[in-house]
Amino acid sequence: MNALGRHILAEIYGCDSEILNDRELIEKVMVDSALSSGAEIREVAFHKFSPMGVSGVVVISESHLTIHTWPELGYAAVDVFTCGDKINPWDACNYLTEKLKASHITATEVKRGIFEQPVSVKVSNL
């Protein structure tokens, strides 16, 4: 069985609330998380909510990393989606969990684009 990508859905608990509410720091940690896994960054966009919380995305050549934080709960919802087999999404997820100073994480890996046989495309001139 072949898959186009791997998608980690992470629930990260017991995080440092000051980190979770700092847009610049969250952006740095997310970018560094992507780089630590060997990903190639394409675009970065983050937003700070009022009164608290940060959401953001790091678009990588291999797909993306996203985060939504709830500082008042010490909680972050994170997705790490990588296509191909060159990048291990767990490397990025583990790095991020450490930098958020989390007490625990629950995560699930979902295979994306599962094919029983390799995909082939035939192009013809009509």
Side-chain angles (χ1 to χ4, degrees), residues 5-48:
R6 300 166 65 193
H7 196 161
I8 307 299
L9 307 169
E11 307 286 312
I12 306 177
Y13 298 96
C15 302
D16 183 308
S17 62
E18 289 186 24
I19 295 171
L20 293 181
N21 204 37
D22 185 328
R23 188 203 62 78
E24 290 178 0
L25 185 53
I26 288 292
E27 180 176 328
K28 179 181 180 353
V29 168
M30 290 289 286
V31 166
D32 289 348
S33 175
L35 293 173
S36 76
S37 71
E40 182 178 331
I41 295 174
R42 293 295 179 184
E43 293 189 43
V44 175
F46 283 79
H47 177 77
K48 170 82 168 65

Side-chain angles (χ1 to χ4, degrees), residues 44-125:
V44 175
F46 283 79
H47 177 77
K48 170 82 168 65
F49 293 97
S50 181
M52 60 182 56
V54 175
S55 289
V57 61
V58 176
V59 178
I60 57 177
S61 295
E62 302 79 9
S63 195
H64 68 268
L65 292 80
T66 63
I67 190 167
H68 304 283
T69 73
W70 285 262
E72 69 277 20
L73 301 174
Y75 169 75
V78 172
D79 289 2
V80 180
F81 183 16
T82 60
C83 296
D85 57 6
K86 293 181 182 176
I87 306 298
N88 183 347
W90 288 106
D91 292 342
C93 192
N94 291 333
Y95 179 94
L96 178 61
T97 301
E98 176 186 328
K99 295 302 181 182
L100 295 179
K101 300 181 181 177
S103 63
H104 65 283
I105 176 176
T106 59
T108 303
E109 179 174 328
V110 177
K111 303 289 187 206
R112 304 295 303 269
I114 297 173
F115 296 93
E116 294 298 323
Q117 297 177 3
V119 176
S120 63
V121 177
K122 183 176 181 180
V123 179
S124 65
N125 294 330

